[in-house]
């Protein structure tokens, strides 16, 4: 049980504090404290825990460094090399989007297992916290660790939807919910394979990040207030983050496998060239001074559109192949006596972008496609080489693999409620004594690590596996299956029987019991002379023709039930044996 009566708000039945504090949240209660009699035992226990926390923070206060960043949060996460144990982005979700914030801050969160990222969302009487999080990230809570590399530190913070509704009714403007995120354990010895549930989540995310017009949106995401900030770069960074954590052999190696509108091909190709180290150019364009705004510039969101001259206004260019969307660009503002205005627009393109002087650039409103600003011609734009590295280094895999072991995970398919693994054991003898253990620590019922071991053979080391999402230890099931034996032809068959794909005797090598008969009718009337050696321990140790018992016997290669001492005896006995051989 986790309680925190010290910070309980009697008006809203909430534990929310004004601002972040080291003591916000739930305090762990030991089982012995719950069993102790006394009405005030929980309050006393909480007071003692808080006292110890204060002492702990006072001891560490000299080593704490606080960094304030007042500019663009995503740009800071992408450019700064420092990592932090605590990142507070509570006020940034509405400005940059939850997915953008999580994937960027995950790169700046230290590997300290206690490192924490804080974000905040606003719930209302129609949308619970878990509903907003799952809709914003296009994934259920259990798949978020695999896709984003972060997990909610405590699912109880999202609370039950019905309770959220009741609490939100007491607040006119909705209720702020603080989300606490932590890095998930690194995957270990897992080979990921396609999963229908994961592919479905990523397809939804791809469609959201490459949306041509944002007119109809999920109501839950609208409540989160971050749907307009998802761009092709958002999707690209999420995929590269997955590849970085799950290995380069991950099935998600190419963004092009997701079918998106062709208007995003130029933006997608620019991102691919950027992260692959190819030449990237930065274009800087001024605003045409003779044109006025059609609608106010403060209407979000904005998109940069390239189209042939005079063709965009004719049909809004949404379905034309010569129209290109750029959602990631930089705006430079200038203060004037009449207010602030946009002075320069800069963006990135591949060196072989293929745009000529017949194209014009327009800033439009994504919601309705209306033009807002016309940029100067491409010929007059300033071009410089862009040397900053791609935000996520996917060349170095964080996945821990032991490639020299004889027991390996061949595939792992993840769904919303389980992992299905296929483990291959390389050994000549029989494998037995399968045992599965976990690192579960009571009273917790879940774990991240599993160890698979065998009693036989003894020379095979146990296999340690780590998952990003915790699993219930009691629900782990494992079954040992033997690999089906492959039948190979004998040396005599390889030497004597004609081989080849069209040979009617190919069944000899696949079915020693001859359940599959030759298909050619002509062979049914031929003499069968194909035989192979039979061990003298066979029960039928007499020749069917001469009734002698030689050291080596030859078996009829068709019925496999009659033996002879020589080829001559088989030929002489064939008229007698032929009717029975056909029946067999």
């Amino acid at each position: 049980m986790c309680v925190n009566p010290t910070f309980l708000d009697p008006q809203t039945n909430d534990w929310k504090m004004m601002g972040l504090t080291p003591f916000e949240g739930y305090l762990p209660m030991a089982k012995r404290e719950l069993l102790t009699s006394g009405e005030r035992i929980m309050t006393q226990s909480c007071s003692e825990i808080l006292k110890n926390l204060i002492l702990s923070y006072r001891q560490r206060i000299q080593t704490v460094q606080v960094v304030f960043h007042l500019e663009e949060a995503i740009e800071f996460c992408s450019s700064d090399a420092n990592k932090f144990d605590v990142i507070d982005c509570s006020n940034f979700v509405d400005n940059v989007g939850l997915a953008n914030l999580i994937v960027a801050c995950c790169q700046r969160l230290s590997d300290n297992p206690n490192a924490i990222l804080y974000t905040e969302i606003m719930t209302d009487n129609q949308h619970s916290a878990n509903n907003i999080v799952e809709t914003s990230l296009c994934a259920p809570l259990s798949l978020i660790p695999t896709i984003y590399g972060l997990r909610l530190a405590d699912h109880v913070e999202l609370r039950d939807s019905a309770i959220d509704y009741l609490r939100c009714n007491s607040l006119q403007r909705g209720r702020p919910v603080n989300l606490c995120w932590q890095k998930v354990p690194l995957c270990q010895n897992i080979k990921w394979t396609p999963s229908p549930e994961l592919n479905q989540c990523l397809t939804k995310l791809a469609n959201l990040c490459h949306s041509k017009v944002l007119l109809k949106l999920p109501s839950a995401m609208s409540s989160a207030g971050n749907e307009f900030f998802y761009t092709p770069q958002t999707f690209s960074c999420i995929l590269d983050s997955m590849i970085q954590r799950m290995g380069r052999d991950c099935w998600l190696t190419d963004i092009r496998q997701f079918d998106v509108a062709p208007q995003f091909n130029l933006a997608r190709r620019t991102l691919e060239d950027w992260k692959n180290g190819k030449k990237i150019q930065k274009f800087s364009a001024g605003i045409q001074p003779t044109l006025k705004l059609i609608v106010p510039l403060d209407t979000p969101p904005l998109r940069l559109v390239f189209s042939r001259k005079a063709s965009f206004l004719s049909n809004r260019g949404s379905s034309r192949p010569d129209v290109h969307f750029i959602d990631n660009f930089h705006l430079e503002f200038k203060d004037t006596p009449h207010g602030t205005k946009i002075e320069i627009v800069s963006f990135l393109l591949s060196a072989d972008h293929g745009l000529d002087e017949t194209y014009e650039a327009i800033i439009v409103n994504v919601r309705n496609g209306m033009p807002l600003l016309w940029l100067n011609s491409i010929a007059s734009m300033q071009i410089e080489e862009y040397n900053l590295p791609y935000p996520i280094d996917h060349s170095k895999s964080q996945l821990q693999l032991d490639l020299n072991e004889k027991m390996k995970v061949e595939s792992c398919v993840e769904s919303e409620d389980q992992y299905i693994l296929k483990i291959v054991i390389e050994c000549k003898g029989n494998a037995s004594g399968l045992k599965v253990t976990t690192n579960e620590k009571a009273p917790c019922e879940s774990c991240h690590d599993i160890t698979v071991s065998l009693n036989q053979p003894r020379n095979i080391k146990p296999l340690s596996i780590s998952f990003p999402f915790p699993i219930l230890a009691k629900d782990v099931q494992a079954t040992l299956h033997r690999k089906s034996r492959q039948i190979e032809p004998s040396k005599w068959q390889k030497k004597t029987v004609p081989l080849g794909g069209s040979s009617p005797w190919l069944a000899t090598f696949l079915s020693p019991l001859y359940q599959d008969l030759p298909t050619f009718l002509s062979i049914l009337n031929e003499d069968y002379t194909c035989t192979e050696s039979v061990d003298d321990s066979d029960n039928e140790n007499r020749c069917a023709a001469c009734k002698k018992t030689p050291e080596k016997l030859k078996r009829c290669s068709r019925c496999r039930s009659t033996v002879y001492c020589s080829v001559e005896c088989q030929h002489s006995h064939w008229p007698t044996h032929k009717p029975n051989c056909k029946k067999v």
Side-chain angles (χ1 to χ4, degrees):
M1 180 180 292
C2 295
V3 296
N4 191 348
T6 309
F7 295 139
L8 181 62
D9 187 339
Q11 299 297 327
T12 62
N13 293 325
D14 202 353
W15 283 269
K16 174 67 182 175
M17 291 284 294
M18 293 303 294
L20 290 174
T21 73
F23 320 114
E24 184 177 6
Y26 298 82
L27 301 179
M29 298 293 296
K31 186 176 181 180
R32 59 179 177 79
E33 296 172 338
L34 297 177
L35 298 177
T36 305
S37 61
E39 296 181 356
R40 297 176 59 83
I41 183 64
M42 289 188 178
T43 302
Q44 295 173 0
S45 299
C46 288
S47 299
E48 187 66 24
I49 293 174
L50 289 174
K51 176 182 176 181
N52 294 332
L53 283 174
I54 292 175
L55 293 176
S56 174
Y57 278 99
R58 284 178 176 174
Q59 293 173 357
R60 290 182 291 171
I61 194 66
Q62 300 299 328
T63 62
V64 174
Q65 294 183 355
V66 180
V67 178
F68 293 97
H69 183 76
L70 304 179
E71 298 179 3
E72 170 58 48
I74 297 298
E75 183 179 354
F76 173 74
C77 290
S78 301
S79 59
D80 190 86
N82 296 320
K83 292 196 173 185
F84 306 94
D85 292 330
V86 179
I87 301 178
D88 178 10
C89 293
S90 300
N91 298 325
F92 288 135
V93 172
D94 293 342
N95 300 321
V96 299
L98 185 59
N100 286 321
L101 200 59
I102 286 179
V103 73
C105 290
C106 185
Q107 303 298 314
R108 293 293 165 256
L109 205 60
S110 72
D111 295 329
N112 181 350
N114 296 319
I116 292 176
L117 163 67
Y118 288 106
T119 63
E120 185 181 86
I121 58 175
M122 294 293 296
T123 62
D124 54 34
N125 57 3
Q126 295 182 352
H127 310 106
S128 63
N130 60 329
N131 183 228
I132 293 176
V133 170
E134 291 183 338
T135 307
S136 298
L137 300 183
C138 297
L141 294 178
S142 60
L143 296 181
I144 289 175
T146 298
I147 298 176
Y148 293 92
L150 293 178
R151 65 176 178 85
L152 285 166
D154 194 345
H155 281 189
V156 77
E157 293 184 13
L158 295 186
R159 302 181 179 89
D160 182 78
S161 301
I163 299 177
D164 259 345
Y165 298 156
L166 294 175
R167 289 175 174 170
C168 289
N169 286 333
S170 64
L171 300 174
Q172 295 181 354
R173 298 183 59 187
R175 174 180 156 297
V177 175
N178 227 24
L179 302 180
C180 179
W181 303 87
Q182 288 183 303
K183 277 191 174 182
V184 299
L186 291 178
C187 304
Q188 181 179 1
N189 293 328
I190 296 180
K191 183 177 180 181
W192 297 90
T193 45
S195 161
E197 285 84 356
L198 273 178
N199 287 342
Q200 183 179 7
C201 295
L202 293 172
T203 300
K204 290 169 56 178
L205 189 62
N207 293 333
L208 182 62
C209 294
H210 299 83
S211 176
K212 290 191 292 184
V213 180
L214 300 177
L215 293 178
K216 296 182 179 180
L217 294 165
S219 57
M221 181 170 292
S222 298
S223 176
N226 55 45
E227 65 275 7
F228 301 126
F229 303 101
Y230 290 14
T231 69
Q233 185 170 339
T234 302
F235 186 66
S236 179
C237 288
I238 291 174
L239 288 190
D240 290 326
S241 174
M242 291 184 66
I243 296 173
Q244 183 187 63
R245 288 177 284 104
M246 301 167 66
R248 291 197 60 84
D249 293 334
C250 173
W251 74 96
L252 299 167
T253 57
D254 195 345
I255 192 175
R256 290 172 294 181
Q257 66 180 292
F258 295 93
D259 187 18
V260 299
Q263 286 77 23
F264 292 98
N265 287 338
L266 178 59
R268 189 161 58 175
R269 179 157 49 90
T270 300
L271 289 170
E272 289 293 306
D273 289 348
W274 185 16
K275 67 183 179 182
N276 291 329
K278 296 184 179 180
K279 188 176 181 180
I280 299 297
Q281 294 177 334
K282 178 181 177 181
F283 287 72
S284 299
I287 308 298
Q288 293 186 18
T290 58
L291 296 175
K292 297 182 179 180
L293 299 182
I294 298 178
V295 294
L297 249 186
D298 57 355
T299 303
L302 303 179
R303 168 173 285 162
L304 176 61
V305 178
F306 280 100
S307 67
R308 301 284 183 182
K309 291 183 178 179
S311 66
F312 182 79
L313 292 178
S314 60
N315 59 1
R316 295 288 171 84
S318 59
S319 59
R320 293 178 59 89
D322 59 347
V323 173
H324 305 280
F325 295 159
I326 305 295
D327 282 353
N328 296 97
F329 51 90
H330 181 74
L331 303 178
E332 295 184 18
F333 296 89
K334 182 180 180 180
D335 292 330
T336 67
H338 303 287
T340 303
K341 70 174 185 178
I342 298 177
E343 187 175 38
I344 298 176
V345 179
S346 57
F347 51 90
L348 303 180
L349 288 179
S350 298
D352 56 345
H353 52 78
L355 301 178
D356 53 35
E357 295 184 1
T358 62
Y359 280 89
E360 62 180 355
I362 311 170
I363 299 292
V364 302
N365 180 353
V366 179
R367 287 181 175 176
N368 52 28
M370 292 295 295
L372 301 179
L373 291 173
W374 272 264
L375 306 186
N376 293 331
S377 64
I378 294 181
S380 62
M381 292 183 183
Q382 180 181 349
I383 303 176
E384 57 183 305
E385 188 173 348
Y386 191 75
N387 296 319
L388 288 180
Y390 187 73
I392 298 178
D393 183 9
H394 65 291
S395 62
K396 297 180 181 179
S397 173
Q398 297 176 342
L399 178 65
Q400 300 177 4
L401 290 176
D402 196 341
L403 302 177
N404 298 321
E405 293 305 316
K406 297 182 179 180
M407 185 159 43
K408 304 174 184 177
V409 175
E410 188 175 76
S411 64
C412 177
V413 179
E414 181 183 11
S415 62
E416 187 173 352
D417 56 358
Q418 67 178 354
Y419 294 98
I420 300 178
L421 279 75
K422 181 179 180 181
I423 300 176
V424 174
I425 304 170
E426 300 177 359
C427 63
K428 295 182 179 179
N430 293 328
S432 61
L434 179 66
K435 184 179 180 181
V436 179
T437 58
T438 68
N439 66 335
E440 175 194 5
K441 295 182 179 180
C444 183
E445 298 181 354
S446 63
C447 61
H448 286 276
D449 300 335
I450 290 180
T451 301
V452 182
S453 59
L454 296 169
N455 288 338
Q456 297 291 337
R458 297 182 179 275
N459 63 335
I460 295 184
K461 289 174 51 180
L463 174 65
S464 297
I465 311 170
S466 294
F467 301 92
F469 190 78
I471 57 178
L472 289 175
K474 65 177 182 179
D475 290 347
V476 177
Q477 300 178 4
T479 306
L480 189 63
H481 296 278
R482 298 182 184 276
K483 186 178 180 180
S484 58
R485 299 183 180 276
Q486 295 181 351
I487 301 170
E488 296 183 357
S490 65
K491 294 181 180 180
W492 184 91
Q493 289 169 324
K494 291 180 179 180
K495 182 178 180 180
T496 308
V497 179
L499 302 177
S502 59
S503 172
W505 288 104
L506 195 60
T508 304
F509 312 131
L510 302 179
S511 178
L513 298 181
Y514 275 80
Q515 295 174 350
D516 300 325
L517 298 179
T519 56
F520 291 171
L521 296 177
S522 60
I523 296 182
L524 295 179
N525 298 321
E526 292 183 358
D527 291 344
Y528 284 78
T529 59
C530 297
T531 58
E532 66 177 4
S533 298
V534 178
D535 192 273
D536 58 1
S537 62
D538 197 290
N539 293 330
E540 299 177 0
N541 56 2
R542 293 191 304 169
C543 176
C546 66
K547 308 302 181 184
K548 293 181 180 180
T549 309
E551 294 182 359
K552 296 290 184 179
L553 291 174
K554 307 290 183 180
R555 188 183 300 275
C556 174
S557 60
R558 180 181 180 186
C559 67
R560 309 291 296 171
S561 61
T562 306
V563 294
Y564 302 94
C565 63
S566 64
V567 175
E568 291 77 10
C569 283
Q570 184 185 19
H571 278 286
S572 63
H573 192 255
W574 175 244
T576 304
H577 175 61
K578 184 176 182 180
N580 294 329
C581 187
K582 286 185 176 181
K583 293 179 181 179
V584 175

